[in-house]
Amino acid sequence: MKPFGQVHDAGLQQERTSLAWDRTGLATMVTSGLLFRVIGQPYPQVMHTLPILTFLIGLVLVASDRHRYLARWQRLQHGEEVSSWSAVATVGITTVILGVAALAVLALTGI
């Protein structure tokens, strides 16, 4: 792998993007934990599958941050598009599914 070269990025886009993905992953894990807690006992239930899968998606987002950072940096050096549409789509779909599931759990538990 090549060492980091100079790329004009006056606004520290890479760092802001990396921090945003970390926050998104952590928020996803916290939200899935809250949903897991609201579903409650007995453990495990079929309904616990969604928060567990969502937690794992958040964990993957946080764990793969360095790889995404380096990949974006290399694309920046070559003047290519730096957006990661697969990660954006995964987070978007997960957010919609988690939101619908949370509303369903709230409706079922009467909270």
Side-chain angles (χ1 to χ4, degrees):
M1 179 151 74
K2 293 191 289 186
F4 289 115
Q6 287 292 346
V7 176
H8 178 68
D9 188 10
L12 297 175
Q13 175 186 357
Q14 279 292 95
E15 286 71 18
R16 287 194 326 265
T17 302
S18 181
L19 289 171
W21 278 110
D22 283 343
R23 284 191 306 268
T24 301
L26 292 172
T28 302
M29 290 190 291
V30 168
T31 304
S32 67
L34 292 173
L35 182 58
F36 192 84
R37 178 76 174 172
V38 167
I39 292 171
Q41 293 182 357
Y43 298 113
Q45 296 180 40
V46 174
M47 291 173 44
H48 288 116
T49 305
L50 181 65
I52 290 170
L53 290 175
T54 305
F55 180 85
L56 292 175
I57 289 171
L59 187 63
V60 167
L61 282 173
V62 172
S64 65
D65 183 53
R66 178 161 173 78
H67 172 72
R68 279 193 316 276
Y69 181 90
L70 294 175
R72 281 191 310 269
W73 187 265
Q74 294 227 338
R75 289 192 303 260
L76 266 175
Q77 285 182 323
H78 294 104
E80 299 171 4
E81 177 69 31
V82 295
S83 299
S84 174
W85 293 108
S86 61
V88 172
T90 300
V91 169
I93 291 168
T94 301
T95 302
V96 170
I97 291 172
L98 186 61
V100 170
L103 289 174
V105 167
L106 292 174
L108 292 173
T109 58
I111 294 177

